[in-house]
Amino acid sequence: MSDWLITGCSELLTLRGSVPRRGRALRELGIIRDGALLIHNDRITAVGRRRRVERLRESRRAEKLDLGGRVVLPGFVDSHTHLIFPESRAEEFEQRIAGKSYEEIARNGGGIRSTVNAVRRTPAKALHQSALARLAEFAAHGTTTIEAKSGYGLDWTSELKILNVLRRLHQDQPLDIACTFLGAHIVPPESRRRPAAFVDQLVRRWIPSVATAGLADFCDVFCDRGAFSVPQARRILATARACGLVPRIHAEQFAHTGGARLAVEQHAASADHLEMLDRGDIRALSLSNVVCTLLPGCDFHLGLPQRAPARALIDSDAIVALATDFNPGTSPTLSMPMILSLACSQLRMTPAEAISAATVNPAYSLRQHDRIGSIEVGKYADLAAFDVADYREIPYYFGVNLCSLTMKRGTVIHSKKCETLGHETAR
Ligand code: NIG
Ligand code: FE
């Protein structure tokens, strides 16, 4: 580790200020033009205009990195991923194009079940290798922290295999990974006839064991038609809380079930998906500290016309975040910039709102806002630089990767030379 003086930030999006962001505060990016920052080891020690930061005594000794007029922002925090799975489900993609629905495919034994079968027969080493390659891709798109869930094992041995792969990944690569136990993804095939017994097992054995062994910080439930009901999810999340795990929930994606209200009742860190929210839900969420994590990659990939009500949530002061939901069934993307593009064009979020929803608010939902999510003195030096002149061009260009540098805790973990797209910058 070393000290860095970073200059040449045409726009330095600090995101300084209050956390979490609600309503109009989502538009406040704390932009410093011609910005600079000073880093000591893994932390930020000064942020400001170039002239001021350059004059600091510590700046003279630091290694210099001139970004030549790029837009710099906090590394993205992707607070919803299913990182660990062995293979794509491209054949289901093709079946959906031919007219089958996601839920139909799942009912016929495909969907989550087919990934569960694949995970069970894949050795930990292979899962580890594919995860490493994916984490490098996350980093290449500007992401510096992710959340990752289990949930494709669904027997004790296979769930442990996933959680242990996640734990080892922590040591083997630079990104931070917050770990979530999703033993309640679906009822696995062998328990199909006795779902209540599966929930009993989760509540009596698996959740307490995961918590005691310190294998996860969060516990998630897929609460929807075809997965777990609200009463089942309530029991699971209440147990998780009693064991010291913080609840998260997949809610209101395909059917309106009451999952969002359950998130409020159980003080969940976040409620994710939310396409089917009603007005009462929006009000309840906006009066709570539950982070509404929208996953626009799903509707895009599944080709569904539904949209999460991002505008209504923001306008009623709910805490909104965005995430990839990286998984083989509904959202096979690792690109937060692509998610920002979808949030702007499909959910009608402004570029500034989308950036806050991809940095400070997900940091809050992962309970890490004291160290990540903004560029402020004392926080980790987690940054992404984009080869654009104006931050709005990050979501404006889509399907291209303009992230030219990613830094995690003061170490450069990705860098590439980009040509500028349709603008001139002073280099
Ligand atoms: O977040 N909704 C539940 N879980 C995933 C989909 C998982 C899969 O299809 O493999 C999601 O969309
Ligand atoms: Fe998910």
Side-chain angles (χ1 to χ4, degrees), residues 205-386:
R205 321 248 305 247
W206 293 6
I207 292 171
S209 301
V210 166
T212 309
L215 288 169
D217 299 314
F218 300 96
C219 180
D220 198 339
V221 184
F222 183 16
C223 178
D224 214 314
R225 184 167 66 199
F228 293 88
S229 67
V230 167
Q232 289 171 326
R234 175 178 290 113
R235 211 174 141 218
I236 290 161
L237 295 183
T239 303
R241 282 172 77 201
C243 294
L245 299 175
V246 179
R248 315 184 80 81
I249 186 167
H250 285 69
E252 325 289 14
Q253 180 184 13
F254 295 114
H256 185 264
T257 63
R261 305 286 182 109
L262 180 68
V264 175
E265 175 200 298
Q266 291 296 321
H267 302 278
S270 92
D272 302 28
H273 286 293
L274 308 181
E275 283 82 350
M276 297 297 162
L277 288 185
D278 68 21
R279 281 182 32 208
D281 299 329
I282 293 172
R283 189 174 153 70
L285 287 165
S286 70
L287 294 171
S288 80
N289 288 326
V290 177
V291 178
C292 303
T293 304
L294 311 182
L295 312 168
C298 296
D299 298 327
F300 174 76
H301 180 72
L302 297 177
L304 294 175
Q306 59 195 37
R307 299 284 177 265
R311 276 273 46 95
L313 285 165
I314 292 171
D315 296 343
S316 56
D317 284 346
I319 309 167
V320 170
L322 291 164
T324 58
D325 191 14
F326 174 64
N327 79 77
T330 63
S331 190
T333 181
L334 312 117
S335 166
M336 280 300 275
M338 178 67 192
I339 294 300
L340 300 197
S341 297
L342 293 174
C344 294
S345 68
Q346 308 298 296
L347 305 184
R348 305 183 63 81
M349 290 172 69
T350 68
E353 288 169 342
I355 287 171
S356 297
T359 53
V360 270
N361 280 357
Y364 174 77
S365 101
L366 296 182
R367 306 289 188 254
Q368 294 188 29
H369 49 289
D370 60 334
R371 46 193 190 277
I372 59 169
S374 64
I375 298 178
E376 289 177 283
V377 170
K379 289 207 174 179
Y380 284 144
D382 288 6
L383 319 166
F386 280 80

